[in-house]
Amino acid sequence: MSYPIAAAMEPAPGPQEKYQLITRNLQEVLGEDKLMAILKERELKIYWGTATTGKPHVAYFVPMSKIADFLKAGCEVTILFADLHAYLDNMKAPWELLELRTRYYEHVIKAMLESIGVPLEKLKFVRGTDYQLSKEYTLDVYRLSSVVTQHDAKKAGAEVVKQVEHPLLSGLLYPGLQALDEEYLKVDAQFGGVDQRKIFTFAEKYLPSLGYGKRVHLMNPMVPGLTGSKMSSSEEDSKIDLLDRKEDVKKKLKKAFCEPGNVENNGVLSFIKHVLFPLKSEFVVLREEKWGGNKTYTAYEVLEKDFAEQVVHPGDLKNSVEVALNKLLDPIREKFNCPELKKLSSAAYPTPSKAKPAEKGTKNSEPEDVIPSRLDIRVGKVISVEKHPDADSLYVEKIDVGEAEPRTVVSGLVHFVPKEQLQDRLVVLLCNLKPQKMRGVESQGMVLCASSVGEPRQVEPLDPPAGCCAGERVYVEGYEGGEPDEELKPKKKVFEKLQADFRISEDCVAQWKQRNFLTKLGTVSCKSLKGGSIS
Protein backbone atom coordinates (compact mmCIF):
# COMPACT_ATOMS: atom_id res chain seq x y z
CA MET A 1 0.00 0.00 0.00
CA SER A 2 1.33 3.44 -0.88
CA TYR A 3 0.23 6.97 -0.14
CA PRO A 4 0.10 9.25 -3.23
CA ILE A 5 1.84 12.52 -2.46
CA ALA A 6 -0.31 14.66 -4.75
CA ALA A 7 -3.42 14.40 -6.86
CA ALA A 8 -2.70 14.16 -10.58
CA MET A 9 -4.44 17.40 -11.65
CA GLU A 10 -3.79 19.67 -8.66
CA PRO A 11 -2.87 23.23 -9.68
CA ALA A 12 0.74 24.25 -9.10
CA PRO A 13 1.16 25.94 -5.70
CA GLY A 14 2.22 29.61 -5.50
CA PRO A 15 5.34 30.86 -3.65
CA GLN A 16 3.54 31.22 -0.30
CA GLU A 17 1.97 27.76 -0.56
CA LYS A 18 5.35 26.32 -1.49
CA TYR A 19 6.92 28.03 1.51
CA GLN A 20 4.28 26.55 3.83
CA LEU A 21 4.82 23.03 2.41
CA ILE A 22 8.60 23.30 2.63
CA THR A 23 8.64 24.59 6.21
CA ARG A 24 5.73 22.76 7.87
CA ASN A 25 6.68 20.70 10.94
CA LEU A 26 10.26 22.03 10.84
CA GLN A 27 11.88 23.21 14.06
CA GLU A 28 13.99 25.95 12.52
CA VAL A 29 14.84 27.64 9.22
CA LEU A 30 18.05 29.62 8.71
CA GLY A 31 17.64 32.05 5.78
CA GLU A 32 13.85 32.47 5.54
CA ASP A 33 14.05 35.67 3.46
CA LYS A 34 16.42 34.06 0.96
CA LEU A 35 14.14 31.00 0.75
CA MET A 36 11.12 33.15 -0.12
CA ALA A 37 13.10 35.20 -2.64
CA ILE A 38 14.18 32.02 -4.49
CA LEU A 39 10.63 30.64 -4.50
CA LYS A 40 9.37 33.85 -6.12
CA GLU A 41 11.86 33.38 -8.97
CA ARG A 42 12.24 29.62 -9.53
CA GLU A 43 12.10 26.16 -7.97
CA LEU A 44 14.28 25.51 -4.90
CA LYS A 45 17.24 23.13 -5.23
CA ILE A 46 17.71 21.19 -2.00
CA TYR A 47 19.60 18.15 -0.73
CA TRP A 48 19.33 15.71 2.15
CA GLY A 49 22.33 13.58 3.05
CA THR A 50 22.60 10.42 5.11
CA ALA A 51 25.83 8.79 6.29
CA THR A 52 25.73 5.08 5.45
CA THR A 53 26.41 3.73 8.96
CA GLY A 54 23.89 1.75 11.06
CA LYS A 55 20.75 0.20 9.59
CA PRO A 56 18.06 2.82 8.80
CA HIS A 57 15.04 2.54 11.10
CA VAL A 58 11.49 3.92 11.13
CA ALA A 59 12.61 7.41 12.23
CA TYR A 60 13.97 7.75 8.67
CA PHE A 61 10.33 8.11 7.60
CA VAL A 62 10.49 11.62 9.12
CA PRO A 63 12.90 13.03 6.50
CA MET A 64 11.19 10.88 3.83
CA SER A 65 7.90 12.61 4.68
CA LYS A 66 9.57 16.02 4.31
CA ILE A 67 11.07 14.98 0.96
CA ALA A 68 7.50 14.27 -0.14
CA ASP A 69 6.61 17.84 0.93
CA PHE A 70 9.56 19.26 -1.02
CA LEU A 71 8.43 17.46 -4.17
CA LYS A 72 4.85 18.72 -3.70
CA ALA A 73 6.35 22.21 -3.55
CA GLY A 74 8.13 21.64 -6.86
CA CYS A 75 11.66 21.46 -5.41
CA GLU A 76 14.55 19.78 -7.22
CA VAL A 77 15.67 17.24 -4.59
CA THR A 78 19.02 15.43 -4.35
CA ILE A 79 19.60 12.57 -1.91
CA LEU A 80 23.25 12.10 -0.94
CA PHE A 81 24.51 8.75 0.29
CA ALA A 82 27.43 10.10 2.33
CA ASP A 83 29.67 7.04 2.23
CA LEU A 84 32.93 8.87 2.91
CA HIS A 85 31.34 10.64 5.90
CA ALA A 86 30.38 7.22 7.32
CA TYR A 87 34.03 6.22 7.35
CA LEU A 88 35.29 9.55 8.73
CA ASP A 89 32.87 9.41 11.69
CA ASN A 90 35.09 7.30 13.95
CA MET A 91 34.99 4.54 11.32
CA LYS A 92 31.31 3.75 12.01
CA ALA A 93 31.35 2.02 8.63
CA PRO A 94 34.59 0.00 8.22
CA TRP A 95 36.25 0.54 4.84
CA GLU A 96 35.71 -3.07 3.79
CA LEU A 97 31.94 -2.72 4.43
CA LEU A 98 31.53 0.77 2.98
CA GLU A 99 30.46 -0.28 -0.52
CA LEU A 100 28.04 -2.92 0.82
CA ARG A 101 26.41 -0.53 3.28
CA THR A 102 26.05 2.17 0.65
CA ARG A 103 24.27 -0.29 -1.64
CA TYR A 104 22.04 -1.37 1.26
CA TYR A 105 21.13 2.28 1.95
CA GLU A 106 20.34 2.91 -1.72
CA HIS A 107 17.92 -0.03 -1.81
CA VAL A 108 16.25 0.61 1.55
CA ILE A 109 15.84 4.41 1.16
CA LYS A 110 14.32 3.93 -2.28
CA ALA A 111 11.99 1.26 -0.86
CA MET A 112 10.91 3.66 1.88
CA LEU A 113 10.19 6.42 -0.61
CA GLU A 114 8.19 4.05 -2.78
CA SER A 115 6.17 2.87 0.24
CA ILE A 116 4.92 6.42 0.84
CA GLY A 117 4.24 7.08 -2.84
CA VAL A 118 7.23 9.29 -3.71
CA PRO A 119 8.06 9.05 -7.46
CA LEU A 120 11.77 8.14 -7.63
CA GLU A 121 12.15 9.62 -11.13
CA LYS A 122 11.75 13.10 -9.61
CA LEU A 123 14.76 12.59 -7.33
CA LYS A 124 18.49 12.65 -7.99
CA PHE A 125 20.61 10.09 -6.11
CA VAL A 126 24.34 10.73 -5.56
CA ARG A 127 27.15 8.99 -3.65
CA GLY A 128 29.68 11.13 -1.83
CA THR A 129 32.65 9.31 -3.38
CA ASP A 130 31.27 10.15 -6.86
CA TYR A 131 32.75 13.66 -6.47
CA GLN A 132 34.48 13.93 -3.05
CA LEU A 133 37.65 12.24 -4.35
CA SER A 134 38.06 14.64 -7.28
CA LYS A 135 41.08 16.94 -7.57
CA GLU A 136 38.93 20.09 -7.20
CA TYR A 137 37.07 18.89 -4.12
CA THR A 138 40.27 17.65 -2.45
CA LEU A 139 41.95 21.02 -3.05
CA ASP A 140 38.96 22.76 -1.45
CA VAL A 141 39.27 20.49 1.59
CA TYR A 142 42.88 21.69 1.97
CA ARG A 143 41.86 25.32 1.41
CA LEU A 144 39.16 25.02 4.04
CA SER A 145 41.52 23.37 6.53
CA SER A 146 43.83 26.39 6.23
CA VAL A 147 41.16 28.78 7.56
CA VAL A 148 39.11 26.60 9.98
CA THR A 149 40.26 26.44 13.60
CA GLN A 150 40.44 23.13 15.46
CA HIS A 151 38.00 24.58 18.01
CA ASP A 152 35.38 25.41 15.36
CA ALA A 153 35.71 22.04 13.62
CA LYS A 154 35.27 20.14 16.89
CA LYS A 155 32.35 22.35 17.96
CA ALA A 156 30.60 21.93 14.60
CA GLY A 157 30.65 18.14 14.83
CA ALA A 158 29.80 17.88 18.52
CA GLU A 159 26.18 16.76 17.99
CA VAL A 160 26.80 14.54 14.97
CA VAL A 161 30.30 13.03 15.05
CA LYS A 162 30.74 10.29 17.65
CA GLN A 163 32.44 11.83 20.69
CA VAL A 164 35.26 9.74 22.20
CA GLU A 165 38.02 10.41 24.71
CA HIS A 166 40.77 10.47 22.06
CA PRO A 167 39.09 11.79 18.87
CA LEU A 168 40.55 11.01 15.45
CA LEU A 169 41.52 13.74 13.00
CA SER A 170 38.93 12.34 10.57
CA GLY A 171 36.11 13.58 12.81
CA LEU A 172 37.43 17.14 12.50
CA LEU A 173 37.30 16.89 8.69
CA TYR A 174 33.64 15.77 8.72
CA PRO A 175 31.96 19.22 9.11
CA GLY A 176 34.12 20.76 6.39
CA LEU A 177 33.19 18.07 3.88
CA GLN A 178 29.50 18.51 4.67
CA ALA A 179 29.82 22.26 4.12
CA LEU A 180 31.56 21.75 0.76
CA ASP A 181 28.83 19.33 -0.34
CA GLU A 182 26.45 22.30 -0.58
CA GLU A 183 28.66 23.89 -3.24
CA TYR A 184 29.51 20.73 -5.17
CA LEU A 185 25.90 19.55 -5.31
CA LYS A 186 24.92 23.03 -6.63
CA VAL A 187 21.99 23.45 -4.27
CA ASP A 188 20.24 26.41 -2.64
CA ALA A 189 19.45 24.63 0.61
CA GLN A 190 20.40 21.71 2.85
CA PHE A 191 17.87 19.79 4.92
CA GLY A 192 18.66 17.81 8.09
CA GLY A 193 17.85 17.29 11.75
CA VAL A 194 18.29 20.07 14.29
CA ASP A 195 21.31 18.10 15.59
CA GLN A 196 23.05 19.34 12.41
CA ARG A 197 22.62 23.00 13.35
CA LYS A 198 26.26 23.57 14.37
CA ILE A 199 27.45 22.13 11.04
CA PHE A 200 24.97 24.38 9.20
CA THR A 201 26.20 27.53 10.95
CA PHE A 202 29.78 26.35 10.36
CA ALA A 203 29.00 26.20 6.62
CA GLU A 204 27.47 29.69 6.69
CA LYS A 205 30.60 31.04 8.38
CA TYR A 206 33.28 29.35 6.30
CA LEU A 207 31.98 28.81 2.75
CA PRO A 208 32.16 32.56 1.96
CA SER A 209 35.88 32.46 2.87
CA LEU A 210 36.37 30.21 -0.19
CA GLY A 211 34.24 32.51 -2.36
CA TYR A 212 31.10 30.32 -2.11
CA GLY A 213 27.65 31.54 -1.11
CA LYS A 214 25.63 30.86 2.04
CA ARG A 215 22.82 28.35 1.71
CA VAL A 216 19.39 28.10 3.32
CA HIS A 217 19.21 25.49 6.10
CA LEU A 218 16.05 23.60 7.02
CA MET A 219 15.92 21.62 10.27
CA ASN A 220 13.59 18.88 11.44
CA PRO A 221 13.08 18.37 15.19
CA MET A 222 14.73 15.28 16.68
CA VAL A 223 11.97 12.71 17.02
CA PRO A 224 12.09 10.81 20.33
CA GLY A 225 12.73 7.09 20.14
CA LEU A 226 10.51 4.50 21.76
CA THR A 227 12.31 4.93 25.09
CA GLY A 228 11.79 8.71 25.07
CA SER A 229 15.35 9.58 24.01
CA LYS A 230 16.58 10.14 20.45
CA MET A 231 15.86 7.17 18.16
CA SER A 232 19.27 5.67 17.46
CA SER A 233 20.68 2.86 15.32
CA SER A 234 22.99 1.89 18.17
CA GLU A 235 20.29 1.79 20.84
CA GLU A 236 18.21 -1.31 20.11
CA ASP A 237 15.28 -0.59 22.41
CA SER A 238 14.80 2.95 21.04
CA LYS A 239 14.02 1.94 17.47
CA ILE A 240 11.98 -0.24 15.13
CA ASP A 241 13.99 -1.56 12.20
CA LEU A 242 12.50 -1.33 8.72
CA LEU A 243 12.74 -5.10 8.34
CA ASP A 244 11.42 -6.01 11.80
CA ARG A 245 8.74 -8.69 11.76
CA LYS A 246 5.20 -7.73 12.73
CA GLU A 247 5.56 -9.53 16.06
CA ASP A 248 8.76 -7.51 16.76
CA VAL A 249 6.94 -4.25 15.97
CA LYS A 250 4.17 -5.23 18.40
CA LYS A 251 6.69 -6.15 21.11
CA LYS A 252 8.70 -2.93 20.76
CA LEU A 253 5.62 -0.71 20.67
CA LYS A 254 4.24 -2.46 23.74
CA LYS A 255 7.44 -1.50 25.63
CA ALA A 256 7.49 2.05 24.21
CA PHE A 257 7.34 5.01 26.58
CA CYS A 258 3.79 6.38 26.28
CA GLU A 259 2.70 7.55 29.73
CA PRO A 260 -1.04 8.44 30.01
CA GLY A 261 -1.50 12.16 29.46
CA ASN A 262 2.24 12.81 28.91
CA VAL A 263 2.93 14.44 25.52
CA GLU A 264 6.60 15.25 26.25
CA ASN A 265 9.31 12.95 24.81
CA ASN A 266 6.54 10.66 23.58
CA GLY A 267 7.98 8.77 20.60
CA VAL A 268 4.61 7.25 19.65
CA LEU A 269 2.89 10.64 19.39
CA SER A 270 5.89 12.15 17.60
CA PHE A 271 5.80 9.46 14.93
CA ILE A 272 2.13 10.23 14.30
CA LYS A 273 2.86 13.97 14.07
CA HIS A 274 5.92 13.84 11.83
CA VAL A 275 5.18 10.81 9.64
CA LEU A 276 1.62 9.52 9.63
CA PHE A 277 -0.25 12.85 9.61
CA PRO A 278 1.78 14.47 6.81
CA LEU A 279 1.33 11.37 4.63
CA LYS A 280 -2.45 10.98 4.94
CA SER A 281 -3.60 14.24 6.59
CA GLU A 282 -5.51 12.14 9.11
CA PHE A 283 -5.04 9.45 11.74
CA VAL A 284 -7.55 6.86 12.90
CA VAL A 285 -7.49 5.72 16.53
CA LEU A 286 -8.79 2.16 16.57
CA ARG A 287 -10.97 1.33 19.60
CA GLU A 288 -13.53 -1.24 20.62
CA GLU A 289 -17.15 -0.06 20.49
CA LYS A 290 -17.44 -0.21 24.28
CA TRP A 291 -14.69 2.46 24.49
CA GLY A 292 -16.33 4.71 21.91
CA GLY A 293 -15.35 3.01 18.66
CA ASN A 294 -12.89 4.25 16.06
CA LYS A 295 -12.20 7.99 15.88
CA THR A 296 -10.69 9.83 12.91
CA TYR A 297 -8.51 12.88 13.61
CA THR A 298 -7.86 15.39 10.83
CA ALA A 299 -5.70 17.70 12.97
CA TYR A 300 -2.77 16.47 15.05
CA GLU A 301 -3.34 19.16 17.70
CA VAL A 302 -6.78 17.71 18.49
CA LEU A 303 -5.29 14.21 18.92
CA GLU A 304 -2.53 15.54 21.20
CA LYS A 305 -5.13 17.43 23.28
CA ASP A 306 -7.28 14.31 23.64
CA PHE A 307 -4.24 12.27 24.69
CA ALA A 308 -3.18 14.93 27.21
CA GLU A 309 -6.69 14.89 28.68
CA GLN A 310 -6.58 11.04 28.68
CA VAL A 311 -9.51 10.74 26.26
CA VAL A 312 -7.20 8.52 24.16
CA HIS A 313 -5.61 5.58 25.99
CA PRO A 314 -1.90 4.71 25.35
CA GLY A 315 -2.85 1.12 24.47
CA ASP A 316 -5.27 2.26 21.75
CA LEU A 317 -2.71 4.75 20.42
CA LYS A 318 0.01 2.08 20.21
CA ASN A 319 -2.31 -0.44 18.52
CA SER A 320 -3.34 2.17 15.93
CA VAL A 321 0.27 3.14 15.20
CA GLU A 322 1.14 -0.56 14.87
CA VAL A 323 -1.48 -1.02 12.13
CA ALA A 324 -0.46 2.14 10.24
CA LEU A 325 3.26 1.41 10.57
CA ASN A 326 2.95 -2.15 9.29
CA LYS A 327 1.19 -0.78 6.18
CA LEU A 328 4.30 1.31 5.54
CA LEU A 329 6.71 -1.52 6.29
CA ASP A 330 4.96 -4.31 4.34
CA PRO A 331 6.22 -3.21 0.87
CA ILE A 332 9.77 -2.81 2.26
CA ARG A 333 9.70 -6.27 3.86
CA GLU A 334 8.39 -7.73 0.61
CA LYS A 335 11.13 -6.09 -1.46
CA PHE A 336 13.86 -7.34 0.89
CA ASN A 337 12.47 -10.87 0.91
CA CYS A 338 14.33 -11.71 -2.30
CA PRO A 339 17.59 -13.76 -2.03
CA GLU A 340 19.76 -10.97 -3.50
CA LEU A 341 18.76 -8.35 -0.92
CA LYS A 342 18.77 -10.85 1.95
CA LYS A 343 22.38 -11.63 1.03
CA LEU A 344 23.24 -7.91 0.79
CA SER A 345 21.71 -7.22 4.21
CA SER A 346 23.69 -10.04 5.84
CA ALA A 347 26.93 -8.98 4.15
CA ALA A 348 26.57 -5.26 4.98
CA TYR A 349 25.65 -5.91 8.62
CA PRO A 350 27.27 -9.22 9.57
CA THR A 351 26.12 -10.69 12.86
CA PRO A 352 28.96 -10.78 15.41
CA SER A 353 30.10 -14.39 15.69
CA LYS A 354 29.05 -16.17 18.85
CA ALA A 355 30.62 -19.28 20.27
CA LYS A 356 28.70 -22.45 19.66
CA PRO A 357 27.51 -24.16 22.82
CA ALA A 358 29.82 -26.96 23.88
CA GLU A 359 28.60 -30.50 23.59
CA LYS A 360 27.90 -32.25 26.83
CA GLY A 361 31.10 -33.43 28.48
CA THR A 362 33.36 -31.16 26.37
CA LYS A 363 34.89 -27.75 26.86
CA ASN A 364 34.19 -24.91 24.48
CA SER A 365 37.41 -23.70 22.85
CA GLU A 366 35.85 -20.25 22.21
CA PRO A 367 34.07 -19.01 25.33
CA GLU A 368 31.29 -16.48 24.73
CA ASP A 369 32.18 -12.81 25.15
CA VAL A 370 31.36 -11.29 28.52
CA ILE A 371 30.85 -7.66 27.49
CA PRO A 372 28.75 -4.82 28.97
CA SER A 373 26.35 -4.61 26.01
CA ARG A 374 24.85 -7.93 27.18
CA LEU A 375 23.37 -6.11 30.18
CA ASP A 376 19.95 -4.50 29.75
CA ILE A 377 20.47 -1.43 31.94
CA ARG A 378 17.86 1.32 31.80
CA VAL A 379 16.84 4.53 33.50
CA GLY A 380 13.89 3.92 35.82
CA LYS A 381 11.56 6.22 37.72
CA VAL A 382 10.44 5.09 41.18
CA ILE A 383 6.64 5.38 41.28
CA SER A 384 6.08 3.94 44.76
CA VAL A 385 8.12 2.65 47.72
CA GLU A 386 6.80 0.45 50.52
CA LYS A 387 8.43 -1.60 53.26
CA HIS A 388 8.51 -5.33 52.51
CA PRO A 389 5.74 -6.96 54.57
CA ASP A 390 8.05 -9.75 55.77
CA ALA A 391 11.55 -8.18 55.83
CA ASP A 392 12.57 -5.08 57.80
CA SER A 393 15.62 -4.35 55.61
CA LEU A 394 13.85 -4.50 52.22
CA TYR A 395 11.82 -2.04 50.18
CA VAL A 396 9.29 -3.11 47.53
CA GLU A 397 9.32 -0.51 44.74
CA LYS A 398 7.27 0.00 41.61
CA ILE A 399 9.64 1.33 38.93
CA ASP A 400 8.70 2.66 35.48
CA VAL A 401 11.24 1.54 32.86
CA GLY A 402 9.26 2.63 29.80
CA GLU A 403 7.18 -0.55 29.52
CA ALA A 404 3.41 -0.96 29.53
CA GLU A 405 3.44 -1.69 33.28
CA PRO A 406 5.93 -0.70 36.01
CA ARG A 407 8.24 -3.42 37.37
CA THR A 408 8.20 -4.68 40.93
CA VAL A 409 11.71 -4.48 42.41
CA VAL A 410 12.88 -5.55 45.87
CA SER A 411 15.89 -3.60 47.20
CA GLY A 412 17.86 -3.88 50.43
CA LEU A 413 18.07 -0.11 50.92
CA VAL A 414 16.00 0.45 54.06
CA HIS A 415 19.04 1.13 56.29
CA PHE A 416 20.78 3.34 53.69
CA VAL A 417 18.22 5.46 51.81
CA PRO A 418 15.13 7.03 53.40
CA LYS A 419 11.87 6.16 51.68
CA GLU A 420 11.14 9.79 50.77
CA GLN A 421 14.50 10.06 48.95
CA LEU A 422 13.58 7.14 46.68
CA GLN A 423 10.05 8.26 45.87
CA ASP A 424 9.83 9.80 42.35
CA ARG A 425 13.60 9.76 41.80
CA LEU A 426 15.38 8.45 38.72
CA VAL A 427 17.46 5.31 39.27
CA VAL A 428 19.55 2.91 37.17
CA LEU A 429 17.97 -0.53 36.86
CA LEU A 430 19.41 -3.81 35.61
CA CYS A 431 16.43 -5.28 33.76
CA ASN A 432 17.48 -8.68 32.40
CA LEU A 433 18.31 -10.62 35.54
CA LYS A 434 16.15 -13.70 35.98
CA PRO A 435 13.23 -12.67 38.23
CA GLN A 436 13.52 -14.17 41.69
CA LYS A 437 11.44 -14.17 44.84
CA MET A 438 12.80 -12.29 47.82
CA ARG A 439 10.92 -13.24 50.97
CA GLY A 440 7.82 -14.07 48.94
CA VAL A 441 7.85 -11.05 46.57
CA GLU A 442 9.15 -11.52 43.02
CA SER A 443 11.78 -8.93 42.08
CA GLN A 444 12.00 -8.03 38.38
CA GLY A 445 15.24 -6.09 38.42
CA MET A 446 18.10 -4.64 40.46
CA VAL A 447 18.62 -1.00 41.42
CA LEU A 448 22.33 -0.34 40.84
CA CYS A 449 24.00 1.48 43.72
CA ALA A 450 27.45 2.75 44.71
CA SER A 451 28.86 1.26 47.93
CA SER A 452 31.67 2.57 50.10
CA VAL A 453 34.80 0.45 50.53
CA GLY A 454 35.30 0.80 54.29
CA GLU A 455 33.14 0.78 57.39
CA PRO A 456 30.59 2.01 58.22
CA ARG A 457 29.07 0.93 54.92
CA GLN A 458 27.41 3.65 52.87
CA VAL A 459 25.16 3.10 49.85
CA GLU A 460 23.93 5.60 47.23
CA PRO A 461 21.71 4.77 44.21
CA LEU A 462 23.38 5.67 40.91
CA ASP A 463 22.10 8.88 39.34
CA PRO A 464 21.31 9.12 35.61
CA PRO A 465 21.96 12.55 34.02
CA ALA A 466 19.28 15.19 34.61
CA GLY A 467 16.57 15.16 31.94
CA CYS A 468 16.65 11.41 31.24
CA CYS A 469 13.40 9.57 30.64
CA ALA A 470 12.21 6.29 32.10
CA GLY A 471 13.26 3.44 29.82
CA GLU A 472 16.29 5.20 28.33
CA ARG A 473 19.18 2.82 27.68
CA VAL A 474 22.31 3.00 29.85
CA TYR A 475 25.46 1.67 28.21
CA VAL A 476 29.20 1.53 28.76
CA GLU A 477 31.39 3.80 26.63
CA GLY A 478 32.57 1.89 23.56
CA TYR A 479 29.81 -0.73 23.88
CA GLU A 480 26.86 1.28 22.53
CA GLY A 481 25.89 -1.38 19.99
CA GLY A 482 24.86 -4.95 20.53
CA GLU A 483 21.66 -6.56 21.70
CA PRO A 484 21.33 -7.28 25.43
CA ASP A 485 20.62 -10.86 26.44
CA GLU A 486 16.89 -11.51 26.74
CA GLU A 487 17.60 -12.93 30.20
CA LEU A 488 20.92 -13.46 31.94
CA LYS A 489 21.38 -17.14 32.82
CA PRO A 490 22.37 -17.45 36.49
CA LYS A 491 24.78 -20.33 35.81
CA LYS A 492 26.73 -18.23 33.29
CA LYS A 493 27.33 -15.48 35.91
CA VAL A 494 27.63 -12.80 33.19
CA PHE A 495 26.64 -9.95 35.50
CA GLU A 496 28.91 -11.14 38.30
CA LYS A 497 31.91 -11.32 35.97
CA LEU A 498 31.27 -7.80 34.66
CA GLN A 499 30.45 -6.43 38.10
CA ALA A 500 33.94 -7.35 39.33
CA ASP A 501 35.26 -4.44 37.26
CA PHE A 502 32.52 -1.93 38.17
CA ARG A 503 33.96 1.06 40.06
CA ILE A 504 33.19 4.65 41.01
CA SER A 505 35.90 7.01 39.74
CA GLU A 506 37.50 9.85 41.68
CA ASP A 507 35.00 12.13 39.91
CA CYS A 508 32.10 9.98 41.21
CA VAL A 509 31.38 8.59 37.73
CA ALA A 510 30.22 4.97 37.37
CA GLN A 511 32.69 2.95 35.26
CA TRP A 512 33.55 -0.51 33.94
CA LYS A 513 37.30 -0.94 33.38
CA GLN A 514 37.66 2.87 33.44
CA ARG A 515 34.99 3.29 30.73
CA ASN A 516 32.08 5.51 31.75
CA PHE A 517 28.46 4.44 32.15
CA LEU A 518 26.52 6.73 29.78
CA THR A 519 23.12 7.71 28.51
CA LYS A 520 22.48 9.99 25.55
CA LEU A 521 22.58 12.94 27.96
CA GLY A 522 25.88 12.21 29.68
CA THR A 523 27.53 10.18 32.43
CA VAL A 524 25.95 8.14 35.22
CA SER A 525 27.29 9.09 38.64
CA CYS A 526 26.75 8.96 42.40
CA LYS A 527 26.76 11.78 44.93
CA SER A 528 29.91 11.19 46.99
CA LEU A 529 31.32 7.63 47.16
CA LYS A 530 34.61 8.08 45.29
CA GLY A 531 36.45 4.81 44.65
CA GLY A 532 33.45 2.74 45.70
CA SER A 533 32.10 -0.46 44.19
CA ILE A 534 28.80 -0.90 42.32
CA SER A 535 26.24 -3.53 43.19
Side-chain angles (χ1 to χ4, degrees), residues 376-391:
D376 183 3
I377 307 177
R378 302 183 218 165
V379 175
K381 182 176 182 180
V382 180
I383 297 172
S384 67
V385 189
E386 301 294 339
K387 281 277 193 75
H388 192 295
D390 298 317

Side-chain angles (χ1 to χ4, degrees), residues 407-419:
R407 292 194 179 205
T408 300
V409 178
V410 180
S411 301
L413 296 174
V414 170
H415 300 312
F416 303 104
V417 185
K419 179 179 172 181

Side-chain angles (χ1 to χ4, degrees), residues 325-340:
L325 179 55
N326 277 318
K327 287 179 181 177
L328 291 177
L329 296 181
D330 278 342
I332 303 172
R333 294 181 185 121
E334 185 176 349
K335 182 172 182 177
F336 273 77
N337 201 31
C338 70
E340 180 189 352

Side-chain angles (χ1 to χ4, degrees), residues 94-394:
W95 192 261
E96 61 274 14
L97 295 179
L98 204 58
E99 166 66 19
L100 292 167
R101 290 193 178 176
T102 304
R103 281 169 48 204
Y104 179 88
Y105 264 69
E106 288 176 348
H107 282 290
V108 83
I109 295 295
K110 288 177 181 179
M112 291 181 76
L113 290 164
E114 287 173 329
S115 83
I116 62 174
V118 174
L120 299 185
E121 64 273 12
K122 291 191 175 183
L123 296 163
K124 181 181 179 182
F125 297 94
V126 179
R127 289 189 185 194
T129 47
D130 289 345
Y131 63 90
Q132 290 167 346
L133 301 178
S134 69
K135 178 181 176 181
E136 295 77 16
Y137 189 94
T138 303
L139 182 59
D140 270 344
V141 171
Y142 288 134
R143 290 174 63 205
L144 195 60
S145 68
S146 71
V147 294
V148 173
T149 65
Q150 183 263 357
H151 171 271
D152 283 1
K154 185 176 181 181
K155 178 182 175 184
E159 302 296 325
V160 177
V161 178
K162 184 177 178 180
Q163 300 299 297
V164 294
E165 188 175 354
H166 301 292
L168 300 173
L169 179 60
S170 58
L172 298 178
L173 294 175
Y174 189 111
L177 268 67
Q178 187 167 333
L180 288 172
D181 290 341
E182 297 179 345
E183 176 65 24
Y184 279 78
L185 291 171
K186 303 302 178 187
V187 295
D188 307 305
Q190 183 179 173
F191 164 61
V194 73
D195 60 339
Q196 306 266 339
R197 192 183 195 281
K198 290 177 181 177
I199 292 182
F200 292 166
T201 56
F202 172 93
E204 292 186 5
K205 177 179 179 179
Y206 282 107
L207 281 186
S209 68
L210 300 187
Y212 302 141
K214 289 183 183 181
R215 267 61 179 190
V216 176
H217 293 105
L218 311 172
M219 284 165 273
N220 253 349
M222 299 310 295
V223 175
L226 300 180
T227 58
S229 58
K230 173 185 171 183
M231 199 175 290
S232 165
S233 294
S234 63
E235 190 176 340
E236 190 62 32
D237 284 343
S238 79
K239 66 187 176 73
I240 293 173
D241 285 332
L242 297 169
L243 302 181
D244 273 350
R245 301 170 303 167
K246 290 186 177 182
E247 50 265 41
D248 295 326
V249 172
K250 180 183 287 292
K251 180 181 174 183
K252 289 181 178 181
L253 278 172
K254 186 177 179 180
K255 292 169 63 177
F257 176 77
C258 192
E259 189 177 52
N262 186 351
V263 299
E264 299 296 323
N265 294 316
N266 188 323
V268 180
L269 273 176
S270 292
F271 190 78
I272 296 170
K273 178 179 181 179
H274 293 285
V275 176
L276 299 178
F277 252 107
L279 291 177
K280 292 199 71 179
S281 301
E282 66 176 30
F283 181 73
V284 181
V285 175
L286 306 172
R287 295 185 296 202
E288 295 181 35
E289 287 299 327
K290 64 180 179 180
W291 303 118
N294 296 351
K295 183 171 182 179
T296 300
Y297 289 88
T298 55
Y300 171 77
E301 293 73 20
V302 179
L303 171 62
E304 186 179 274
K305 181 174 179 288
D306 277 2
F307 186 81
E309 294 174 357
Q310 300 190 35
V311 174
V312 175
H313 188 272
D316 294 329
L317 194 73
K318 289 180 180 183
N319 290 339
S320 307
V321 168
E322 180 189 340
V323 170
L325 179 55
N326 277 318
K327 287 179 181 177
L328 291 177
L329 296 181
D330 278 342
I332 303 172
R333 294 181 185 121
E334 185 176 349
K335 182 172 182 177
F336 273 77
N337 201 31
C338 70
E340 180 189 352
L341 291 184
K342 281 183 177 180
K343 183 178 179 181
L344 174 61
S345 181
S346 298
Y349 298 94
T351 304
S353 59
K354 290 187 176 180
K356 295 179 181 179
E359 293 181 10
K360 193 171 183 180
T362 67
K363 289 187 177 180
N364 199 331
S365 60
E366 294 183 22
E368 60 185 348
D369 289 337
V370 179
I371 54 176
S373 54
R374 294 182 61 182
L375 304 180
D376 183 3
I377 307 177
R378 302 183 218 165
V379 175
K381 182 176 182 180
V382 180
I383 297 172
S384 67
V385 189
E386 301 294 339
K387 281 277 193 75
H388 192 295
D390 298 317
D392 293 339
S393 63
L394 301 179

